[in-house]
Amino acid sequence: MRQTVLALAICGAATALQPARPQRRQSLAVRQGGDAYGASGTSFYTTTEKQDSYDSLDKVLDAKCKDAGVRKVIVEMLDACGEITEALRSALVTVEGSANTFGDAQLSVDVIADEIMWEVAKGSEVVAYGASEEEPEIVKCNPKGEYTICWDPLDGSSIVDNNWAVGTIIGVWGSKSGKGDDGLLGATGRDQVTSLVALYGPRTTVAVALDDGVYEFSYGCTPEGCMLEDGTYEPWICSRAKIEVAKDCRIFSPANLRAAKEVAGYKRLVEHYMDDKYTLRYSGGLVPDIYQQFTKNQGVFANPTSDSSPAKLRLAFEAAPFGLLVEKAGGKTSDGVTGGSILDVEITAVDQRTALCIGSANEVDRFNEYLECDDDGCNTSK
């Protein structure tokens, strides 16, 4: 950890010595018509400007999360994401020789990430129950705890060997949210007190649902260094505040394209994206494919189902946590069946699966309309 801190501090210092160069490039791009670095109109580069200073995690949580228990569980989950980050930097991606309850081969990094999450959950003073997507059973943690947490420890196992971005998804419910004592069964995604999604790429960033919206925290150093005045280390800074997802978008991520062979409306929807020249941004990893909606402030991810391509996304471990974040940011979700919000679907089983559309509100409405298409055509208003 000390070597990592030193390396990041050196990088931060180097950045601080050259503040003018990015600004000159940005102004040049604006003078040339807004296409940053000569990119075409189908590219979407960040518009986030460098700040003189960044708020610490504690400062943001004190101001934007009124419940002390929720603040504590958020800090614990971020600590786990930090540990997973460090583990991913050194662990090789190999087959572990075991499989999870769904029959998927477990990778070494899956097991490491899951062990870290369990260690944090079972050592927590505020977590009453925990459940992992790797083995979807509700497990007692601390009888005095207040919260039930569900997590996908490392979403993106099929692409992690390519060194592509992967992530951790965490949903947090009050332990009395459901119909029983476990806080989950009988509850809905709307009952979550918070949710977090970590994206492990060149940087580690985590989107967190707070009282008044979605905030992003970045792992590592500020440009000024890693140590605070009192000598303590601050691993998290707030890199984006009050994230918003626009109602319209030009970015689409079409998952489960096999279903387009059987679902006429989905086939026509994909054709609409192509005909209207939307930009395809799809990696096959749920976390990066939805998380881009927070960085680009737009986008739509669609994952309908068909008879031969049934639902794979887990409601409690994936769809509900992401749903809370996107809706808090002004986006919309669909359960892919009734057209209603994914947050209103009751959790009746720990490993419950679901279809999903999530993202810019008008595009989710379009998805719901197109889903009513049949082989004879569509009656759409958009």
Side-chain angles (χ1 to χ4, degrees):
M1 174 67 78
R2 291 179 180 175
Q3 291 177 339
T4 301
V5 170
L6 179 59
L8 288 173
I10 292 171
C11 290
T15 300
L17 292 174
Q18 304 179 50
R21 184 174 298 173
Q23 294 173 358
R24 285 200 299 267
R25 287 181 177 173
Q26 183 182 28
S27 61
L28 178 62
V30 171
R31 290 198 302 270
Q32 291 177 340
D35 287 340
Y37 305 103
S40 71
T42 61
S43 298
F44 294 89
Y45 287 92
T46 184
T47 58
T48 302
E49 297 182 358
K50 180 183 175 181
Q51 300 173 200
D52 292 333
S53 63
Y54 294 84
D55 289 336
S56 68
L57 171 64
D58 288 343
K59 181 177 181 179
V60 174
L61 290 185
D62 287 345
K64 303 299 181 180
C65 185
K66 64 182 178 181
D67 190 300
V70 176
R71 291 200 300 270
K72 187 171 182 60
V73 76
I74 288 173
V75 170
E76 291 178 344
M77 295 303 101
L78 286 172
D79 285 344
C81 293
E83 289 189 47
I84 294 171
T85 297
E86 298 299 334
L88 288 174
R89 288 172 177 170
S90 58
L92 297 177
V93 179
T94 58
V95 177
E96 188 68 16
S98 58
N100 60 22
T101 56
F102 306 112
D104 301 327
Q106 284 188 303
L107 303 179
S108 55
V109 286
D110 293 327
V111 174
I112 292 170
D114 201 35
E115 288 177 348
I116 290 172
M117 288 297 301
W118 275 120
E119 183 178 351
V120 172
K122 291 180 178 179
S124 171
E125 296 178 355
V126 294
V127 175
Y129 297 91
S132 168
E133 193 225 22
E134 293 296 311
E135 193 170 348
E137 296 178 358
I138 302 172
V139 176
K140 290 183 179 181
C141 294
N142 186 334
K144 296 181 180 180
E146 305 172 57
Y147 304 103
T148 295
I149 60 174
C150 293
W151 65 82
D152 184 345
L154 199 64
D155 187 89
S157 296
S158 65
I159 61 175
V160 69
D161 56 343
N162 289 341
N163 223 11
W164 294 359
V166 294
T168 298
I169 308 171
I170 305 168
V172 184
W173 284 260
S175 60
K176 303 301 181 183
S177 296
K179 296 178 180 178
D181 294 330
D182 56 43
L184 186 65
L185 298 181
T188 68
R190 207 170 292 283
D191 293 320
Q192 293 172 102
V193 295
T194 187
S195 66
L196 305 86
V197 174
L199 178 66
Y200 309 116
R203 300 169 295 117
T204 291
T205 56
V206 185
V208 183
L210 299 182
D211 294 346
D212 65 344
V214 177
Y215 290 72
E216 180 191 76
F217 296 92
S218 291
Y219 181 74
C221 299
T222 67
E224 291 73 31
C226 303
M227 297 295 176
L228 302 180
E229 291 181 358
D230 60 2
T232 59
Y233 170 62
E234 175 56 75
W236 296 99
I237 60 170
C238 182
S239 46
R240 286 188 177 90
K242 295 292 293 291
I243 296 171
E244 295 184 1
V245 177
K247 291 184 177 181
D248 295 302
C249 77
R250 302 296 298 174
I251 298 173
F252 75 110
S253 302
N256 197 16
L257 276 177
R258 296 182 185 88
K261 296 292 290 183
E262 296 176 302
V263 181
Y266 190 37
K267 181 179 180 181
R268 288 183 167 86
L269 179 61
V270 173
E271 290 173 347
H272 164 78
Y273 295 146
M274 301 296 286
D275 291 342
D276 273 27
K277 297 182 179 181
Y278 284 51
T279 295
L280 173 66
R281 289 289 182 268
Y282 179 70
S283 72
L286 182 68
V287 172
D289 290 338
I290 298 180
Y291 197 104
Q292 66 181 327
Q293 296 173 12
F294 304 135
T295 56
K296 306 304 183 186
N297 300 111
Q298 62 168 295
V300 61
F301 172 91
N303 192 335
T305 61
S306 67
D307 292 339
S308 64
S309 298
K312 292 184 178 180
L313 297 181
R314 281 78 174 182
L315 177 60
F317 300 106
E318 297 167 321
F322 250 130
L324 181 66
L325 285 163
V326 170
E327 290 200 11
K328 263 189 169 290
K332 197 168 184 176
T333 65
S334 169
D335 62 12
V337 178
T338 69
S341 169
I342 197 69
L343 296 181
D344 293 326
V345 178
E346 182 178 344
I347 301 170
T348 58
V350 182
D351 65 341
Q352 183 174 344
R353 314 295 181 90
T354 183
L356 177 67
C357 184
I358 185 169
S360 295
N362 289 340
E363 290 300 330
V364 175
D365 288 341
R366 191 193 309 277
F367 170 88
N368 287 333
E369 290 186 1
Y370 270 80
L371 227 60
E372 298 179 2
C373 296
D374 54 32
D375 292 333
D376 295 328
C378 301
N379 181 19
T380 61
S381 60
K382 293 184 180 294

